[in-house]
Amino acid sequence: MDRETFHTCCSLVKIPRQSYEQFRSSHFVDYIEKKDFSYSRFFKNYLLPNHPCVFSKRFTEDWNCRKHWVTETGKPNFQRLLQDFEESPVPVANCNAREYNANPKQILPFKEFISYWREYMQNGHSSPKGCLYLKDWHMQREFPEHNVYSTPVFFSSDWLNEYWDTIEVDDYRFVYMGPKGSWTPFHADVFRSYSWSANVCGRKKWLLYPPGQEEYLRDCHGNLIYDVTAPALQDKGQYPHYEKACQPLEIIQEAGEIIFVPSGWHHQVYNLEDTISINHNWLNGCNLDIMWQFLQGELSAVQREISEWRDSMDTWHQHCQVIMKSCTGIDYGEFSSFLKIIASTRLSFLNGCSGTSTPGCPRHLPDTLATLGPHHAAFDLQRVAHILECMLSNEDFLRLDPTSLSSQPESLLQQIRDAMRTAL
């Protein structure tokens, strides 16, 4: 981040989201062709305003997966993939089955999925087994030595995976492989994070709705539509607000291209050809406020659901946090730990601690902080400080047992304020 961008952001308490009106009347999205496009331009034009864009295939042309996983005709190279991953267990969804608002998954040996895929293609893209889709495979975590791609700098300020790497529990980096016709139902990404998705081969069709439009796509019971192309949406009795919804932003993503999906943009995705893609969920200081807003909404939904037991349970508030974590994947206590880890690394960085000696820091992270620079680290700390202030005025957060927190937010907030006075 350059100095000018940092000073522009310095005065931001609440990040202003520009209007999404342009996406309600236009089906065009910005296309970034040249590799000399700067991080600062991406930050100002897309991250902060929360707008989508597409990067050309030039940004992935050096990836090993595009060289080795794809045949000369642009199809998946099954022979090479089997050579690398034959016995690996992989998660496979059935696109023809529905389980709540998603597709049920099973774990299969990779070679069994490839055998199915070959048969599916030979049978004119049909199978009595249904349309199977390998998705949410943590390939990079399981095979880090393969080095099949590198995260573009535009998406490198990635707090979500930084946190999970630090505690060595999970990550949100995935490989998807699916035949023509496989698809993902309508949804928004985990914690309302950003996502980026790169097609190694094949083509996808994306249908995206700006934040807020999903409210018009709920049925009379408040449930979100499963398929935004379903005729049922035309039933006013079942979907009374659908006519208020805008038309989706439709994007055809070609082989090698990367799409940036902003926070809270609900979307539905189709594989138009046999397709392999790399997908990351990620968040940072630009959408941290959206995540905090989402978590508050999730807790409120839990509280409404079990409100009848509020007066009869001494531990009602704690139970709400437990239920929230089981449904959402995180509670207020872990969110506090998340902020602590993100802030601590940047405090060490700004204090001049060399990357290799930063305690508890993932090996790749010092290079990322050095690339983005001290102004970006300072911006990150500003955003953490703002959310900590919000949390310290939130009644539900203040009800947490202080001894259950890995750090005290007041102390962390003071550390950030002290550092910011002398950092830049």
Side-chain angles (χ1 to χ4, degrees):
M1 178 188 288
D2 56 36
R3 184 181 295 272
E4 178 186 354
T5 304
F6 173 71
H7 286 302
T8 300
C9 298
C10 271
S11 60
L12 297 179
V13 175
K14 179 178 174 60
I15 293 180
R17 314 288 176 203
Q18 296 177 17
S19 170
Y20 300 119
E21 191 64 38
Q22 69 188 80
F23 301 107
R24 296 172 188 162
S25 57
S26 170
H27 288 274
F28 293 97
V29 65
D30 289 352
Y31 189 78
I32 299 167
E33 176 70 40
K34 298 181 179 179
K35 292 184 73 173
D36 61 0
F37 186 78
S38 72
Y39 177 85
S40 288
R41 285 182 64 190
F42 177 70
F43 186 92
K44 289 185 286 189
N45 295 344
Y46 303 101
L47 276 183
L48 280 177
N50 206 42
H51 286 180
C53 64
V54 176
F55 291 83
S56 75
K57 63 182 180 181
R58 294 183 181 184
F59 291 87
T60 63
E61 61 188 359
D62 296 329
W63 288 4
N64 287 329
C65 58
R66 289 203 61 209
K67 299 173 184 177
H68 304 312
W69 290 5
V70 186
T71 66
E72 292 182 358
T73 59
K75 303 298 182 182
N77 188 337
F78 293 138
Q79 183 176 351
R80 176 56 186 263
L81 289 166
L82 284 170
Q83 179 182 322
D84 289 345
F85 309 116
E86 183 176 18
E87 299 296 336
S88 302
V90 293
V92 176
N94 186 344
C95 297
N96 292 356
R98 177 177 176 179
E99 192 172 82
Y100 300 103
N101 257 31
N103 305 125
K105 288 181 185 175
Q106 59 181 319
I107 301 298
L108 296 177
F110 184 77
K111 63 182 180 182
E112 186 175 326
F113 174 74
I114 294 299
S115 176
Y116 154 82
W117 196 351
R118 281 173 161 163
E119 182 181 315
Y120 188 86
M121 294 169 66
Q122 292 167 359
N123 291 339
H125 289 90
S126 66
S127 169
K129 297 178 182 178
C131 183
L132 303 186
Y133 192 3
L134 188 163
K135 59 197 308 186
D136 299 328
W137 179 27
H138 297 272
M139 187 280 305
Q140 186 179 19
R141 187 176 73 196
E142 296 173 19
F143 298 93
E145 71 280 3
H146 283 215
N147 192 31
V148 296
Y149 70 95
S150 57
T151 300
V153 66
F154 311 104
F155 319 128
S156 61
S157 178
D158 176 356
W159 298 8
L160 191 59
N161 288 299
E162 174 183 337
Y163 171 71
W164 289 113
D165 287 347
T166 300
I167 64 175
E168 299 181 338
V169 171
D170 200 358
D171 72 340
Y172 287 90
R173 306 180 185 95
F174 307 109
V175 168
Y176 283 44
M177 298 185 183
K180 176 182 177 181
S182 50
W183 68 295
T184 300
F186 192 56
H187 69 286
D189 288 319
V190 60
F191 309 141
R192 297 302 179 264
S193 59
Y194 299 130
S195 67
W196 64 266
S197 178
N199 280 355
V200 178
C201 64
R203 303 167 70 232
K204 290 180 185 284
K205 179 172 78 172
W206 295 74
L207 302 177
L208 296 100
Y209 284 86
Q213 289 293 306
E214 72 277 3
E215 296 306 319
Y216 303 131
L217 301 171
R218 297 185 183 276
D219 65 18
C220 54
H221 304 291
N223 300 309
L224 197 65
I225 186 70
Y226 173 74
D227 175 3
V228 291
T229 67
L233 277 170
Q234 305 296 333
D235 183 346
K236 289 186 177 181
Q238 190 174 1
Y239 291 93
H241 306 295
Y242 172 62
E243 62 183 14
K244 300 177 185 176
C246 68
Q247 290 298 305
L249 177 65
E250 181 175 318
I251 299 173
I252 304 297
Q253 180 190 14
E254 303 290 342
E257 294 180 343
I258 308 173
I259 183 171
F260 165 62
V261 180
S263 268
W265 283 63
H266 283 67
H267 49 281
Q268 188 162 307
V269 192
Y270 298 89
N271 288 325
L272 303 178
E273 300 174 356
D274 298 297
T275 301
I276 301 175
S277 63
I278 308 291
N279 306 269
H280 284 205
N281 294 116
W282 56 297
L283 56 88
N284 57 33
C286 294
N287 63 342
L288 184 64
D289 60 325
I290 297 177
M291 181 183 183
W292 171 234
Q293 183 180 24
F294 166 72
L295 294 179
Q296 291 176 85
E298 291 294 289
L299 181 60
S300 294
V302 171
Q303 291 173 337
R304 287 194 299 272
E305 193 69 24
I306 63 170
S307 59
E308 61 186 288
W309 291 287
R310 181 169 188 154
D311 296 331
S312 59
M313 289 178 62
D314 293 336
T315 58
W316 184 83
H317 290 287
Q318 293 94 312
H319 274 80
C320 287
Q321 292 286 334
V322 170
I323 295 171
M324 174 191 176
K325 184 166 185 175
S326 68
C327 296
T328 308
I330 194 171
D331 59 16
Y332 280 12
E334 184 162 19
F335 184 60
S336 176
S337 299
F338 163 75
L339 296 179
K340 166 67 174 177
I341 286 175
I342 299 302
S344 295
T345 306
R346 281 142 188 82
L347 288 168
S348 295
F349 178 73
L350 289 181
N351 285 334
C353 180
S354 69
T356 55
S357 64
T358 303
C361 180
R363 286 173 294 177
H364 68 277
L365 188 57
D367 291 339
T368 299
L369 292 175
T371 299
L372 297 176
H375 290 102
H376 205 299
F379 168 78
D380 292 349
L381 288 171
Q382 282 189 333
R383 301 312 304 159
V384 172
H386 170 61
I387 298 303
L388 286 173
E389 290 170 349
C390 294
M391 293 168 68
L392 289 169
S393 63
N394 180 276
E395 291 184 1
D396 291 304
F397 181 76
L398 294 175
R399 288 191 180 99
L400 297 181
D401 180 359
T403 62
S404 68
L405 301 177
S406 62
S407 67
Q408 297 308 307
E410 297 91 342
S411 174
L412 179 59
L413 182 58
Q414 190 58 51
Q415 289 180 56
I416 294 174
R417 288 169 175 166
D418 292 342
M420 294 301 294
R421 292 192 192 100
T422 58
L424 298 171

